[in-house]
Amino acid sequence: MQDRTIAYKEETETLVDSRGYIKTGPNPGFYKLEKKEIIGYSLVDFAMNLVFQAVLMFITFYYTDVYGLTAVEVSLMFLLSRFWDMVNDPMMGALTERSNPKKGKYKPYILWGAVPFALMAVLTYTVPDIGHTGKLIWAYATYNLLNMLFTFIIQPYISLTTVMTADPQERTKLNSIRMMFAQGGGVVVALFIPLLSAYFGKEDQATGYQITVILLSIITVSILIYSYTTIKERIESTSHLDPVKLKDVFIQLTTNRPSVVLFLLFLGVYGFNTVGSASGIYYMTYNAERTDLIGLFSLLNVLPSVIAVPFVPMLVRKIKKKNTVALGLIIAALGSLALYFIPVTAVALMMVAKAVASFGYGILMGILWSIIPDAVEYAEYNTGKRYPAIVYTTIGLGLKASMTIGGVIPTWVLGSVGYVPNAAQSAEALGGILFLVSGLPAIICLVTLIIFMMFYNLTEERVDQIMHELAIRRQEKI
């Protein structure tokens, strides 16, 4: 799948390789992506987020108020699960790089994982009648298997950008559109899970959640199968010829400064979102006492972020990637902090503040995944080995670790302030919930901003220099 003889079509004034792939320039790997392919690739994230956002937004509330676990049990489960991710995710990254499936380096995992992932989502949102201990074991098994299957699909999927095109502008466009679709999946979840679970469940919330997730899972499988057919791997990956070893993972963790900073960035950004998402339903149920507005509040947690993503390419052109990240973090922090000072009776202001925070998060979603390929290029420049999935795994662990923040911290805070499910809450419990939905997300954003601005050093100019040097090295090997 490497670059071959390039022909020049005078009638269309485009560079085309011998396979008919359109080039955006003479540099190796600089390909133009087709519209159908961009949509197909982006739909994968839409489909995955139909389940992933259901976990981010509702799983904590589901486990405590529907499934019947205590806050402490849920907190411990989330914490132990993240320790397992620290083992499972690097293993999956190594497996991906060592393998070389006939149908493509990375895209077959989308097809292979579709049905198992959807099935496990349904089982996760199933309440078995096997006693409290049995239910706890079921929760551990299904939740962790769901996360493992998520990793099985998402790690190779996000590595796909490195073999679709090497053109930074095409990658930015692809990842921006992809994140619009990803956040669109969140909009569907925020809107339909509260509505459909209430419609299907009536007085039985467990049944309502299960039927809703079954419908979302069927949609997920259908989209993943379709998307698999649209994606093209144009650039050859030879990582399987030099199999990744444990020491290669260690080298990435200790010498790739940009990937470590991006790990912390992902931890902060997704931690901000998971905390805000997980606590929102508690805030609307107990502080505002407006269960009728849970769907709207959840919707405003994601809909403005969809609106924000298309502005990211323009922001990158105007103020560069690093400042775009800073802008997103500042807006998200201000929107969250505003919620702390707005009375729960001021519903309109409350919704506006949530929308502002979501808009900042949307800017971050549009830029985060466009930065990772820069770390991939730096890793090859620094070590002489190209293992995209390992770099993505290192950074992606920040996303998984954020689920600990979003799961463990809210349940720990709820437990410490005397939260009691399905009951009137004490003033201390209401204060804890308010801190979770406003103060803590703002603090996470500000700490992340300081770390990123101080330590991230891959400017656009530096990345261009690195890619030029890599092109020279590859030519010398021919």
Side-chain angles (χ1 to χ4, degrees), residues 150-204:
F150 176 82
T151 300
F152 182 84
I153 297 174
I154 210 70
Q155 274 193 2
Y157 164 69
I158 58 180
S159 300
L160 268 167
T161 56
T162 63
V163 294
M164 293 168 68
T165 181
D167 188 326
Q169 292 185 358
E170 288 292 298
R171 285 177 175 176
T172 297
K173 179 173 67 174
L174 175 65
N175 280 297
S176 295
I177 295 174
R178 166 202 164 195
M179 292 318 300
M180 282 182 60
F181 278 76
Q183 295 307 99
V187 170
V188 172
V189 169
L191 184 61
F192 286 102
I193 279 195
L195 293 176
L196 293 180
S197 61
Y199 174 78
F200 290 122
K202 307 300 181 187
E203 300 301 321
D204 184 357

Side-chain angles (χ1 to χ4, degrees), residues 367-407:
I367 188 61
L368 284 191
W369 296 95
S370 300
I371 298 179
I372 297 183
D374 296 344
V376 172
E377 305 300 341
Y378 177 83
E380 182 180 0
Y381 173 81
N382 189 45
T383 66
K385 297 183 177 182
R386 190 175 185 85
Y387 297 131
I390 297 300
V391 178
Y392 276 95
T393 295
T394 303
I395 298 170
L397 279 172
L399 189 157
K400 287 295 191 70
S402 73
M403 295 172 68
T404 302
I405 295 176

Side-chain angles (χ1 to χ4, degrees), residues 58-137:
F58 299 106
I59 198 71
T60 302
F61 181 83
Y62 168 78
Y63 276 140
T64 58
D65 287 46
V66 179
Y67 194 84
L69 301 182
T70 68
V72 173
E73 288 171 336
V74 175
S75 178
L76 181 60
M77 182 178 72
F78 287 157
L79 181 62
L80 294 177
S81 296
R82 298 295 78 80
F83 281 115
W84 170 241
D85 286 337
M86 294 174 64
V87 177
N88 173 67
D89 287 20
M91 284 196 310
M92 185 62 212
L95 172 65
T96 302
E97 294 297 1
R98 294 174 70 94
S99 302
N100 188 36
K102 291 183 179 180
K103 298 295 183 179
K105 178 71 173 181
Y106 302 115
K107 76 173 188 176
Y109 296 91
I110 297 172
L111 183 64
W112 297 339
V115 173
F117 177 69
L119 178 61
M120 196 52 58
V122 174
L123 294 178
T124 300
Y125 276 90
T126 296
V127 182
D129 186 15
I130 51 178
H132 188 80
T133 301
K135 287 170 63 178
L136 186 60
I137 295 172

Side-chain angles (χ1 to χ4, degrees), residues 268 272 328-330 332-333 336 364 440-450:
F272 155 81
L329 287 168
I330 291 170
S336 297
L364 294 166
L440 183 56
I443 292 171
I444 291 172
C445 282
L446 293 177
V447 172
T448 303
L449 174 66
I450 293 170

